[in-house]
mmCIF file of all heavy atoms in Angstrom:
data_model
loop_
_atom_site.group_PDB
_atom_site.id
_atom_site.type_symbol
_atom_site.label_atom_id
_atom_site.label_comp_id
_atom_site.label_asym_id
_atom_site.label_seq_id
_atom_site.Cartn_x
_atom_site.Cartn_y
_atom_site.Cartn_z
ATOM 1 N N TYR A 35 -16.709 -26.145 -26.251
ATOM 2 C CA TYR A 35 -17.595 -24.992 -25.901
ATOM 3 C C TYR A 35 -19.046 -25.340 -25.982
ATOM 4 O O TYR A 35 -19.424 -26.291 -26.712
ATOM 5 C CB TYR A 35 -17.271 -23.862 -26.861
ATOM 6 C CG TYR A 35 -15.939 -23.227 -26.680
ATOM 7 C CD1 TYR A 35 -14.794 -23.832 -27.371
ATOM 8 C CD2 TYR A 35 -15.656 -22.069 -25.993
ATOM 9 C CE1 TYR A 35 -13.540 -23.311 -27.224
ATOM 10 C CE2 TYR A 35 -14.431 -21.477 -25.892
ATOM 11 C CZ TYR A 35 -13.336 -22.097 -26.494
ATOM 12 O OH TYR A 35 -12.137 -21.567 -26.417
ATOM 13 N N ARG A 41 -26.817 -16.931 -28.030
ATOM 14 C CA ARG A 41 -25.843 -16.408 -27.018
ATOM 15 C C ARG A 41 -24.382 -16.595 -27.560
ATOM 16 O O ARG A 41 -24.177 -17.338 -28.529
ATOM 17 C CB ARG A 41 -26.068 -17.097 -25.707
ATOM 18 C CG ARG A 41 -27.411 -16.945 -25.197
ATOM 19 C CD ARG A 41 -27.848 -15.564 -24.900
ATOM 20 N NE ARG A 41 -27.056 -14.916 -23.871
ATOM 21 C CZ ARG A 41 -27.347 -14.907 -22.575
ATOM 22 N NH1 ARG A 41 -28.302 -15.635 -22.179
ATOM 23 N NH2 ARG A 41 -26.608 -14.252 -21.749
ATOM 24 N N ARG A 99 -2.231 -19.035 -33.627
ATOM 25 C CA ARG A 99 -3.311 -18.551 -32.754
ATOM 26 C C ARG A 99 -4.594 -18.625 -33.535
ATOM 27 O O ARG A 99 -5.666 -18.002 -33.047
ATOM 28 C CB ARG A 99 -3.033 -17.159 -32.340
ATOM 29 C CG ARG A 99 -1.773 -17.117 -31.387
ATOM 30 C CD ARG A 99 -1.629 -15.774 -30.733
ATOM 31 N NE ARG A 99 -0.404 -15.705 -29.865
ATOM 32 C CZ ARG A 99 -0.182 -14.777 -29.074
ATOM 33 N NH1 ARG A 99 -0.993 -13.741 -28.929
ATOM 34 N NH2 ARG A 99 0.899 -14.790 -28.309
ATOM 35 N N LEU A 101 -7.821 -20.113 -33.941
ATOM 36 C CA LEU A 101 -8.659 -21.032 -33.313
ATOM 37 C C LEU A 101 -9.810 -21.413 -34.260
ATOM 38 O O LEU A 101 -10.565 -20.533 -34.590
ATOM 39 C CB LEU A 101 -9.125 -20.464 -32.037
ATOM 40 C CG LEU A 101 -9.822 -21.398 -30.983
ATOM 41 C CD1 LEU A 101 -8.887 -22.484 -30.540
ATOM 42 C CD2 LEU A 101 -10.362 -20.510 -29.817
ATOM 43 N N TYR B 33 -10.504 -12.268 -32.122
ATOM 44 C CA TYR B 33 -11.064 -12.984 -33.285
ATOM 45 C C TYR B 33 -12.414 -12.429 -33.651
ATOM 46 O O TYR B 33 -13.195 -12.060 -32.717
ATOM 47 C CB TYR B 33 -11.183 -14.473 -32.959
ATOM 48 C CG TYR B 33 -9.958 -15.228 -32.551
ATOM 49 C CD1 TYR B 33 -9.551 -15.065 -31.175
ATOM 50 C CD2 TYR B 33 -9.148 -15.972 -33.385
ATOM 51 C CE1 TYR B 33 -8.387 -15.730 -30.850
ATOM 52 C CE2 TYR B 33 -8.117 -16.624 -32.986
ATOM 53 C CZ TYR B 33 -7.681 -16.481 -31.726
ATOM 54 O OH TYR B 33 -6.524 -17.073 -31.292
ATOM 55 N N TYR B 35 -15.900 -14.026 -35.714
ATOM 56 C CA TYR B 35 -16.517 -15.153 -36.314
ATOM 57 C C TYR B 35 -17.861 -14.752 -36.842
ATOM 58 O O TYR B 35 -18.542 -13.933 -36.246
ATOM 59 C CB TYR B 35 -16.676 -16.298 -35.375
ATOM 60 C CG TYR B 35 -15.387 -16.899 -34.885
ATOM 61 C CD1 TYR B 35 -14.833 -16.474 -33.751
ATOM 62 C CD2 TYR B 35 -14.759 -17.952 -35.603
ATOM 63 C CE1 TYR B 35 -13.539 -17.014 -33.261
ATOM 64 C CE2 TYR B 35 -13.570 -18.478 -35.138
ATOM 65 C CZ TYR B 35 -12.998 -18.086 -33.964
ATOM 66 O OH TYR B 35 -11.800 -18.558 -33.569
ATOM 67 N N ARG B 94 -8.342 -14.183 -26.416
ATOM 68 C CA ARG B 94 -7.671 -15.272 -25.565
ATOM 69 C C ARG B 94 -6.155 -14.925 -25.439
ATOM 70 O O ARG B 94 -5.581 -14.195 -26.239
ATOM 71 C CB ARG B 94 -7.848 -16.587 -26.081
ATOM 72 C CG ARG B 94 -7.163 -16.903 -27.412
ATOM 73 C CD ARG B 94 -7.408 -18.353 -27.822
ATOM 74 N NE ARG B 94 -6.629 -18.708 -28.993
ATOM 75 C CZ ARG B 94 -5.910 -19.934 -29.084
ATOM 76 N NH1 ARG B 94 -6.026 -20.771 -28.135
ATOM 77 N NH2 ARG B 94 -5.308 -20.139 -30.237
ATOM 78 N N ALA B 100 -10.702 -19.430 -25.221
ATOM 79 C CA ALA B 100 -11.245 -18.161 -25.730
ATOM 80 C C ALA B 100 -12.485 -17.749 -24.841
ATOM 81 O O ALA B 100 -13.224 -18.566 -24.344
ATOM 82 C CB ALA B 100 -11.662 -18.276 -27.205
ATOM 83 N N GLN B 104 -21.274 -11.586 -26.335
ATOM 84 C CA GLN B 104 -22.661 -12.028 -26.464
ATOM 85 C C GLN B 104 -23.166 -11.973 -27.842
ATOM 86 O O GLN B 104 -24.287 -12.416 -28.118
ATOM 87 C CB GLN B 104 -23.576 -11.304 -25.462
ATOM 88 C CG GLN B 104 -23.379 -11.719 -24.033
ATOM 89 C CD GLN B 104 -23.566 -13.186 -23.779
ATOM 90 O OE1 GLN B 104 -24.609 -13.774 -24.039
ATOM 91 N NE2 GLN B 104 -22.468 -13.861 -23.317
#
Side-chain angles (χ1 to χ4, degrees):
Chain A
Y35 291 80
R41 306 297 297 273
R99 294 192 182 188
L101 192 61
Chain B
Y33 305 80
Y35 295 92
R94 69 178 186 138
Q104 288 303 302

